[in-house]
Amino acid sequence: MELHILEHSLKVASIAKEGIQICTHGLIKLAFLPSKTRCKFFSLTETPEDYTIIVDEEGFKELPESEHLSVAEATWLALNVVSGGGSATNSQPIGVTKIAKSVIAPLADHNISVFMLSTYQTDFILVRERDLPMVMHTLSSEFTLLRVINGETVAANSLGVTNGFVKPKLVPRPIIHPLSSPSNMFCVTSLDPDTLPSVATLLMDVMFYSGGMKEPGASSEDSGHIRFFSFSLIEGYISLVMDEQTTPRFPNNVLFTSASGELWKMVRIGGQPLGFDECGIVAQISEPLATADIPAYYISTFKFDHALVSDERISGLLRGVVLGTG
């Protein structure tokens, strides 16, 4: 298989809930008016804590400076595993559990932190730009390494990035974070970019104005229900993650969903904000899922990580990993 190192230099940022209105103009431009920017990689995920943004340097220029905007210090690069000669976003999805043993676990064992973004189309593994030599050294025996430069794919080993490289040492991964599972189920879907204008008003309402309101008749029994919505527009491809209560708000035949209408159970990782330096967080979940052959999506956010799994066996599996009560 091939490992593509995409050319986007990415920023990861958090917008506090109380400050979202300050950034709404720029976010709408990035999500709904891509022709007005040169942004090629944009993702916005709302959780109960905040909004997480992953955006390339061109897109980051659209966001105003604000005390409500926190930006991770590092610049990140996106990696994508491709089975065959397809491009990152139009190839068949590999699945986070399919790359757990070949990508995620080796990087964790070599003390390389990753930030995951699964989409409807594919899975992106974000690594800090300064870690790229270690990443290449760690994965070169398993993958053909290719790098995208000005839209062209070239052999990554011709770039001389490993000059003076010192082989990293294997490190233990003793930390196991608590897990919790909200009560609502989620749908991973997409839509044709040409239909985006027809649902733009609805999407804006879901993204920016639906978060803090309880549904009529909601009771304390709904305490396990969390707010989670993710929108990604990456190289022209749209991906959406929403709960089953939000999906019916969209017109029929707009969303791309499987014939079975498959819903996914969420697992939240972390009892407190995780930070960016620790290694092995993604591996903690993806390795046992891979061993059990359970498919999954995985979305990292600024404070917590989230896995979406489709199998009822997850309940027993999570007890073996350490299930929190959160």
Side-chain angles (χ1 to χ4, degrees):
M1 290 193 294
E2 298 174 351
L3 183 72
H4 290 196
I5 305 166
L6 305 188
E7 59 186 328
H8 314 293
S9 294
L10 303 175
K11 295 290 187 182
V12 177
S14 166
I15 302 175
K17 288 290 185 78
E18 62 269 24
I20 189 63
Q21 68 275 8
I22 299 172
C23 298
T24 299
H25 179 268
L27 295 173
I28 288 175
K29 188 175 179 180
L30 291 168
F32 302 106
L33 301 170
S35 62
K36 302 297 183 181
T37 77
R38 292 189 292 175
C39 180
K40 301 297 183 184
F41 196 113
F42 170 72
S43 179
L44 174 69
T45 300
E46 182 187 1
T47 67
E49 295 78 26
D50 62 355
Y51 290 85
T52 294
I53 300 169
I54 307 172
V55 66
D56 61 27
E57 291 179 329
E58 287 295 330
F60 190 72
K61 296 175 183 177
E62 301 294 336
L63 301 178
E65 292 186 8
S66 169
E67 61 180 349
H68 299 292
L69 181 68
S70 301
V71 185
E73 181 181 352
T75 297
W76 299 76
L77 298 175
L79 314 180
N80 182 258
V81 176
V82 177
S83 55
S87 68
T89 46
N90 64 15
S91 59
Q92 290 296 315
I94 299 296
V96 69
T97 53
K98 299 298 183 183
I99 58 176
K101 297 183 184 300
S102 60
V103 178
I104 295 169
L107 293 179
D109 288 336
H110 287 85
N111 202 33
I112 300 169
S113 179
V114 302
F115 196 86
M116 282 295 308
L117 176 64
S118 293
T119 68
Y120 180 83
Q121 292 81 16
T122 191
D123 298 281
F124 296 100
I125 310 111
L126 274 61
V127 299
R128 287 179 285 206
E129 189 171 33
R130 64 174 179 263
D131 290 336
L132 184 58
M134 288 189 288
V135 171
M136 294 177 63
H137 179 89
T138 301
L139 302 179
S140 59
S141 61
E142 292 286 335
F143 296 93
T144 300
L145 302 180
L146 301 170
R147 191 163 189 181
V148 180
I149 299 178
N150 296 324
E152 299 293 328
T153 303
V154 300
N157 57 12
S158 67
L159 302 177
V161 296
T162 57
N163 290 342
F165 175 72
V166 177
K167 183 179 178 180
K169 295 180 179 180
L170 292 176
V171 297
R173 294 189 271 123
I175 298 176
I176 296 179
H177 289 280
L179 311 177
S180 61
S181 186
S183 60
N184 40 336
M185 302 286 284
F186 294 86
C187 174
V188 181
T189 185
S190 181
L191 54 82
D192 187 330
D194 290 340
T195 67
L196 186 58
S198 68
V199 293
T201 301
L202 171 58
L203 268 173
M204 289 180 199
D205 183 60
V206 172
M207 292 167 72
F208 303 118
Y209 303 109
S210 299
M213 298 182 295
K214 281 202 167 193
E215 296 294 329
S219 68
S220 58
E221 295 179 359
D222 300 315
S223 58
H225 184 288
I226 72 161
R227 172 67 183 165
F228 187 96
F229 181 85
S230 185
F231 173 95
S232 298
L233 176 57
I234 300 173
E235 296 184 347
Y237 292 87
I238 294 172
S239 178
L240 300 164
V241 180
M242 66 187 81
D243 66 18
E244 60 181 329
Q245 288 77 25
T246 303
T247 306
R249 297 179 60 183
F250 287 81
N252 292 332
N253 303 320
V254 170
L255 301 177
F256 299 153
T257 53
S258 64
S260 63
E262 187 173 32
L263 294 173
W264 300 76
K265 188 70 174 175
M266 176 179 286
V267 178
R268 299 232 308 164
I269 301 99
Q272 58 184 358
L274 297 170
F276 295 93
D277 294 326
E278 185 183 329
C279 305
I281 299 172
V282 182
Q284 173 190 334
I285 300 298
S286 63
E287 285 185 295
L289 289 175
T291 300
D293 197 27
I294 298 175
Y297 292 88
Y298 197 105
I299 298 177
S300 299
T301 60
F302 204 85
K303 295 183 178 179
F304 297 99
D305 281 12
H306 308 79
L308 296 169
V309 295
S310 63
D311 200 297
E312 290 297 328
R313 291 175 293 166
I314 189 61
S315 297
L317 180 64
L318 290 180
R319 283 193 289 270
V321 181
V322 179
L323 179 62
T325 59

